[in-house]
DNA sequence: CACCTCGA
DNA sequence: TCGAGGTGG
């Protein structure tokens, strides 16, 4: 997923108080996919309503949004548009992996290997159109603004942050930095624990912040050079060069000052090099976005979750109580501050 | 993922 | 009171 430059990106952990009263542009498809793959039964079966429709993503959106509001964070969801043509190979590969994992999941489940079943089920998850539409509907009912990107959501989110309309963008991938987001937040989760697959241990997951300018200063690169570096290592739009990881790529870029020069000296060719660079440096984005929250349709949320998706009314009402309190406090503070 | 329960 | 483990849909 995305480009593999994590090794050279210095992260600092960020507390929720640092994010209070701030707007965050969330990479919607990335987040929904995360929910879909993680919110499962121990054997890998996703949550489903009585009609057999998967509801893991819906559950994830509902609870995560309440928690963010309670932390004083205003979310904006940014959805992917049409993927660039150059991504089709990556998307094809992902589809093959999913199909393969689906088989492995069935087999593991059949022989009672729960651990393996869960991990294969995660890999086999596919976010489909209906799931995206359902999530948008719930977000709309919860008053959360949704932005439709013309192409890559991370590019649009970066643009929104650059324009000063959001404080930071949030995604698990580092690509947002290549698209130029001034601030990237990773692991925007509350319960900071994730099971290590195959082991009986848990890993602490904490939100982390990456400031693009600080990163570039530290690496002593400009943004174009960072993009060049990522392309050498590999992105969603090209395979990396064998034997070149982020550290070697960093050294090479510094030595030769540009990716093109590195390719020239090393006599390597990367197909569609200019086009890939352009995707990151001049991404396709739109100015037609609205990040203003709308009124929460309380009854609509209950109807959507309880009547249509079999959520327990108890839980939903409890959640909405928390949401109401959190939103009142957040909006009250905002009004207070503006005087 | 986040919530809830139950046992130490 | 806390945290591991089960459940939600």
């Amino acid at each position: 997923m995305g480009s593999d430059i994590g090794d050279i990106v210095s992260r600092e952990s960020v507390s929720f108080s640092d994010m209070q009263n701030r707007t965050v542009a969330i990479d919607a498809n990335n987040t929904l996919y995360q929910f879909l793959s993680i919110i499962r039964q121990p054997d890998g079966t996703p949550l489903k309503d009585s009609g057999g429709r998967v509801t893991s993503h819906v559950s994830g959106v509902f609870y995560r949004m309440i928690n963010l509001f309670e932390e004083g964070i205003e979310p904006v969801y940014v959805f992917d548009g049409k993927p660039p043509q150059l991504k089709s190979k990556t998307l094809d590969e992902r589809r093959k992996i999913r199909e393969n994992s689906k088989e492995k999941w069935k087999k593991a489940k059949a022989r009672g290997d729960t651990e393996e079943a869960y991990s294969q089920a995660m890999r086999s998850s596919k976010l489909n159109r209906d799931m995206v539409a359902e999530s948008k509907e719930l977000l709309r009912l919860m008053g959360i603004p949704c932005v439709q990107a013309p192409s890559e959501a991370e590019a649009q989110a970066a643009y929104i942050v650059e324009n000063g309309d959001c404080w930071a963008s949030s995604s698990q991938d580092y690509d947002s930095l290549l698209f130029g987001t001034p601030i990237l937040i990773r692991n925007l989760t509350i319960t900071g624990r994730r099971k290590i697959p195959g082991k009986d241990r848990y890993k602490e997951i904490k939100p982390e912040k990456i400031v693009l300018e600080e990163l570039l200063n530290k690496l002593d690169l400009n943004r174009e050079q960072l993009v060049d570096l990522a392309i050498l290592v590999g992105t969603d739009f090209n395979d990396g060069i064998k034997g070149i990881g982020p550290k070697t790529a960093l050294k090479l870029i510094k030595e030769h000052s540009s990716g093109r020069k590195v390719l020239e000296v090393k006599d390597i060719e990367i197909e569609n090099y200019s086009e890939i660079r352009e995707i990151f440096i001049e991404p396709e984005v739109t100015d037609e976005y609205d990040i203003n929250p709308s009124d929460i349709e309380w009854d609509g949320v209950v109807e959507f979750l309880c009547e249509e998706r079999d959520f327990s009314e108890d839980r939903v009402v409890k959640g909405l109580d928390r949401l109401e309190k959190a939103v009142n406090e957040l909006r009250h503070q905002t009004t207070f501050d503006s005087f």
Side-chain angles (χ1 to χ4, degrees):
Chain A
M1 276 291 213
S3 59
D4 198 15
I5 55 169
D7 278 358
I8 55 162
V9 174
S10 49
R11 306 151 237 188
E12 53 179 297
S13 71
V14 59
S15 67
F16 281 100
S17 57
D18 293 334
M19 299 190 273
Q20 230 170 39
N21 297 322
R22 304 217 134 123
T23 327
V24 176
I26 297 173
D27 181 350
N29 298 66
N30 181 275
T31 304
L32 296 177
Y33 176 80
Q34 215 91 348
F35 289 148
L36 185 60
S37 50
I38 292 165
I39 304 179
R40 285 168 186 268
Q41 300 290 70
D43 73 350
T45 312
L47 303 187
K48 289 177 195 167
D49 65 15
S50 53
R53 281 181 299 189
V54 173
T55 54
S56 297
H57 54 297
V58 175
S59 177
V61 166
F62 183 62
Y63 291 113
R64 172 72 66 82
M65 288 309 99
I66 293 166
N67 283 321
L68 287 190
F69 276 113
E70 283 190 327
E71 296 294 346
I73 297 169
E74 290 249 22
V76 172
Y77 264 69
V78 185
F79 286 86
D80 274 325
K82 193 170 174 278
Q85 187 61 49
L86 286 170
K87 204 173 182 174
S88 54
K89 194 181 162 204
T90 297
L91 296 176
D92 247 36
E93 279 164 10
R94 286 185 195 163
R95 183 177 50 77
K96 278 178 200 146
I97 292 170
R98 278 200 306 271
E99 284 166 4
N100 193 252
S101 297
K102 205 166 184 175
E103 291 308 309
K104 288 186 183 166
W105 172 25
K106 282 181 195 160
K107 283 178 189 160
K109 205 161 60 171
R111 66 171 187 273
D113 188 346
T114 309
E115 198 88 46
E116 172 72 1
Y118 185 86
S119 114
Q120 292 300 338
M122 280 181 78
R123 290 160 171 248
S124 69
S125 20
K126 157 79 177 151
L127 191 67
N128 65 34
R129 277 172 194 284
D130 287 347
M131 293 170 179
V132 171
E134 289 156 7
S135 306
K136 279 183 185 165
E137 172 70 357
L138 177 59
L139 288 163
R140 189 186 65 76
L141 293 168
M142 291 177 83
I144 296 163
C146 292
V147 172
Q148 180 59 57
S151 187
E152 296 284 279
E154 290 185 273
Q156 184 67 38
Y159 183 65
I160 292 172
V161 179
E162 278 185 288
N163 285 345
D165 290 324
C166 283
W167 169 69
S169 64
S170 165
S171 175
Q172 285 309 105
D173 296 348
Y174 293 100
D175 287 21
S176 305
L177 296 164
L178 306 180
F179 286 117
T181 190
I183 302 178
L184 168 64
I185 303 290
R186 298 183 71 242
N187 303 330
L188 191 59
T189 62
I190 313 302
T191 312
R193 266 170 34 135
R194 194 168 297 166
K195 204 161 82 203
I196 299 168
K199 290 189 178 161
D200 210 15
R201 292 222 321 275
Y202 289 86
K203 197 188 171 209
E204 277 288 323
I205 301 292
K206 281 187 174 170
E208 42 190 53
K209 180 172 85 165
I210 299 143
V211 180
L212 179 59
E213 207 180 305
E214 288 174 8
L215 174 69
L216 294 176
N217 283 341
K218 189 158 181 177
L219 296 177
D220 191 26
L221 296 176
N222 59 38
R223 192 181 133 211
E224 294 207 8
Q225 290 175 311
L226 184 66
V227 169
D228 284 357
L229 183 157
I231 296 172
L232 293 178
V233 176
T235 70
D236 283 349
F237 313 108
N238 71 290
D239 294 327
I241 295 156
K242 210 178 161 206
I244 299 185
K247 291 184 184 160
T248 313
L250 178 61
K251 210 181 88 191
L252 289 171
I253 294 283
K254 281 193 181 177
E255 213 173 300
H256 301 101
S257 79
S258 84
R260 214 179 283 280
K261 199 72 191 281
V262 172
L263 297 178
E264 198 185 299
V265 170
K266 292 261 165 193
D267 196 26
I268 307 166
E269 237 181 276
I270 291 178
E271 253 183 292
N272 305 305
Y273 187 72
S274 312
E275 288 85 347
I276 297 165
R277 271 183 116 246
E278 195 180 324
I279 290 176
F280 289 116
I281 293 164
E282 296 282 334
E284 194 187 341
V285 290
T286 178
D287 276 311
E288 284 169 36
Y289 58 83
D290 180 8
I291 58 145
N292 293 307
S294 47
D295 290 338
I296 301 172
E297 296 183 26
W298 305 97
D299 295 344
V301 175
V302 174
E303 192 184 322
F304 180 88
L305 292 177
C306 303
E307 288 168 37
E308 292 180 40
R309 305 292 150 142
D310 301 337
F311 279 60
S312 103
E313 192 152 332
D314 241 31
R315 283 164 183 262
V316 171
V317 169
K318 214 174 266 180
L320 289 180
D321 273 354
R322 287 171 55 199
L323 181 66
E324 188 171 17
K325 263 199 201 122
V327 169
N328 279 342
E329 203 162 309
L330 190 65
R331 305 279 151 84
H332 177 264
Q333 267 182 4
T334 313
T335 323
F336 185 79
D337 284 349
S338 59
F339 278 100

